[in-house]
Amino acid sequence: MIYMAWLHLKRLLIQSKKVFLLTILMPTVVVCLVTFLLSGSKSNASINIGVVNKDSGIEGKGLLKSLEKQAFVIDKLSYEDAKTKIKQNVEGLVLVIPDNFTEKIQNGEKPSVEILKTENGDMDSSIINQVNAYIGKKIIENSTLRNVIKLGVKVDKNKFNSDMKKASNDKYVTVSSNYITHAGVQNLAGTVSSNLIVSFLMYSMMYIVMDLYALRKEKILFRSLSTPNSNSEILGSIFLSMFVILFMQSALLVTITKFVFNIYWGKSMLSVMLVFLALDLVVLSAGIVAARWAKSEEQISPIVSLMVTLTCAIGGSFMPLDQIPNFPEALKKISYFTPQNWAISALNDVILKNSGVFDILPKLFILLLFAGVFFAAGALQFRETAK
């Protein structure tokens, strides 16, 4: 089978220059060009403000309303999600409101908040000013109320004026900034390049289907089935040669983006390559299914384009779903039925959370399950496909 696979690979890469051009050269050029152009850019998601509100009182909610009135876009997050979105550059800054925020303000004490941002983040000063203004106002209101209660109907104007003057100069919030270092931060170029590689792998299904159709049209598959070789040996050799081409594509693109453009791929390159290997199997298996559906050469392009474009759009490989405004929840649920969603999710775990092979095993299993289902559907009547 190995020798037969080598013959197929030699035919694809050496004799068919079109396959080499479209599966290796063109994706490499496009990914390198896009990565180069985006390497120095910043994500426009930094205009959003993430908020982790641990406070269950009225003042935490009041601060959020105050920020929204100042045209800030509030994204409510958990603490772990906040750190992940900072690394993805989905959020430029995250404000963490402590659980004693309301209690501190009502007691006339200065609360402490935490700000998460990247090392070069530059939005914290404007947020601190807004938080200072809100807390100062609330502390004065509570202080005045206590004075009114203490003094009865009368108000100590001198004391009130003194508090007002002090409030205008004082800082009512203590901020501890927690910097997310660049080691482990995926910039816009990294996000786009990883998604591009996934999308290119999926579109490589086009050339798998075209090659299978050409082998069928020239009766090569049918004649091969008449030889002493078993069906599994013939199919395995074809699969293996195509698998090598897809692996070359993904390995080459990951290597170039990592070592030439310094794209961060996490601490476990083995995990990254296992994700792409599993996705390669999905693409190959889905290609056999599409080859069964295509009854003529003219049908190949629309069938594959429809399959890949729809699943890439819903699965998030064209654009991360959490960066698409008002993306329907129903489509998010449907995205779990696309291999792209699980591949990108596994890659994000490796890149942003420094997950290892063991951590992403469930998602690798799901990708292999996709491959197994597609393979079973395509290979079930391979003899009919070969005719």
Side-chain angles (χ1 to χ4, degrees):
M1 185 175 72
I2 300 296
Y3 179 70
M4 292 173 62
W6 163 247
L7 293 178
H8 285 298
L9 183 64
K10 182 179 178 181
R11 175 182 59 83
L12 290 172
L13 288 180
I14 299 177
Q15 298 177 4
S16 178
K17 296 180 180 179
K18 182 179 179 181
V19 173
F20 174 79
L21 176 67
L22 297 178
T23 61
I24 303 296
L25 185 59
M26 188 181 75
T28 302
V29 172
V30 173
V31 171
C32 288
L33 180 61
V34 172
T35 305
F36 172 75
L37 293 176
L38 295 178
S39 291
S41 64
K42 297 181 180 180
S43 171
N44 58 5
S46 61
I47 62 173
N48 293 338
I49 300 171
V51 175
V52 179
N53 187 10
K54 299 179 180 179
D55 182 53
S56 59
I58 60 173
E59 299 300 349
K61 297 176 182 177
L63 176 57
L64 295 186
K65 290 181 180 179
S66 175
L67 292 173
E68 287 174 342
K69 289 180 181 179
Q70 301 299 322
F72 290 111
V73 179
I74 304 297
D75 187 11
K76 297 179 183 178
L77 307 165
S78 68
Y79 193 81
E80 288 302 318
D81 286 343
K83 291 194 294 185
T84 298
K85 287 182 179 291
I86 288 289
K87 289 183 176 183
Q88 287 178 317
N89 271 321
V90 174
E91 302 289 352
L93 179 146
V94 175
L95 175 69
V96 182
I97 303 174
D99 54 5
N100 62 354
F101 187 75
T102 297
E103 180 184 354
K104 287 276 189 179
I105 291 179
Q106 291 180 346
N107 291 334
E109 301 176 17
K110 302 174 184 178
S112 297
V113 300
E114 182 182 5
I115 285 181
L116 302 178
K117 63 175 186 175
T118 55
E119 287 181 328
N120 61 347
D122 55 1
M123 292 182 60
D124 52 327
S125 59
S126 60
I127 298 300
I128 291 174
N129 289 337
Q130 295 295 330
V131 175
N132 258 317
Y134 177 83
I135 295 177
K137 177 183 176 183
K138 289 299 179 179
I139 287 181
I140 291 173
E141 288 177 356
N142 284 283
S143 176
T144 303
L145 180 61
R146 285 195 301 273
N147 284 336
V148 169
I149 295 174
K150 186 184 297 183
L151 298 174
V153 179
K154 295 180 180 180
V155 176
D156 187 342
K157 294 184 178 180
N158 291 330
K159 184 70 169 66
F160 179 79
N161 291 335
S162 176
D163 286 343
M164 288 289 292
K165 184 177 180 179
K166 181 181 179 182
S168 63
N169 297 320
D170 202 0
K171 298 296 183 184
Y172 284 89
V173 58
T174 303
V175 177
S176 60
S177 294
N178 187 353
Y179 294 98
I180 307 297
T181 60
H182 284 291
V185 175
Q186 187 184 42
N187 58 15
L188 180 61
T191 301
V192 173
S193 61
S194 60
N195 284 21
L196 265 180
I197 295 173
V198 171
S199 297
F200 268 121
L201 275 177
M202 295 303 300
Y203 276 107
S204 296
M205 188 192 309
M206 178 83 70
Y207 314 113
I208 294 171
V209 179
M210 291 174 64
D211 189 59
L212 287 174
Y213 181 82
L215 292 174
R216 180 175 67 182
K217 185 178 180 180
E218 296 170 8
K219 302 296 182 180
I220 295 176
L221 285 180
F222 185 73
R223 289 197 301 271
S224 299
L225 291 174
S226 304
T227 66
N229 300 299
S230 66
N231 291 358
S232 59
E233 205 174 1
I234 296 170
L235 185 59
S237 64
I238 296 173
F239 249 136
L240 185 58
S241 62
M242 294 176 175
F243 179 83
V244 171
I245 292 177
L246 291 175
F247 179 74
M248 288 172 59
Q249 180 192 109
S250 53
L252 179 63
L253 294 176
V254 170
T255 302
I256 290 176
T257 53
K258 178 178 175 64
F259 293 104
V260 177
F261 298 102
N262 296 318
I263 297 300
Y264 185 76
W265 285 96
K267 294 182 179 180
S268 175
M269 289 304 297
L270 175 61
S271 299
V272 172
M273 296 317 302
L274 284 176
V275 173
F276 282 115
L277 286 174
L279 188 59
D280 290 343
L281 290 175
V282 173
V283 174
L284 287 171
S285 303
I288 287 189
V289 175
R292 284 186 57 189
W293 294 342
K295 303 302 181 182
S296 65
E297 189 171 359
E298 290 74 19
Q299 293 180 357
I300 294 176
S301 180
I303 289 175
V304 175
S305 296
L306 182 63
M307 288 175 57
V308 175
T309 303
L310 283 178
T311 53
C312 281
I314 297 175
S317 65
F318 284 161
M319 179 182 291
L321 299 184
D322 55 5
Q323 294 187 25
I324 302 177
N326 303 318
F327 191 79
E329 287 296 325
L331 290 182
K332 285 185 179 180
K333 293 179 180 179
I334 294 175
S335 70
Y336 291 114
F337 294 92
T338 65
Q340 294 94 318
N341 177 278
W342 294 100
I344 291 171
S345 179
L347 287 173
N348 284 338
D349 286 348
V350 176
I351 297 168
L352 303 174
K353 299 179 182 179
N354 288 317
S355 299
V357 175
F358 181 79
D359 301 311
I360 63 170
L361 278 179
K363 294 176 181 179
L364 287 177
F365 174 78
I366 292 175
L367 285 173
L368 293 176
L369 186 61
F370 272 108
V373 171
F374 289 145
F375 181 81
L380 186 62
Q381 295 181 341
F382 183 67
R383 182 176 291 274
E384 295 298 322
T385 304
K387 292 181 179 180

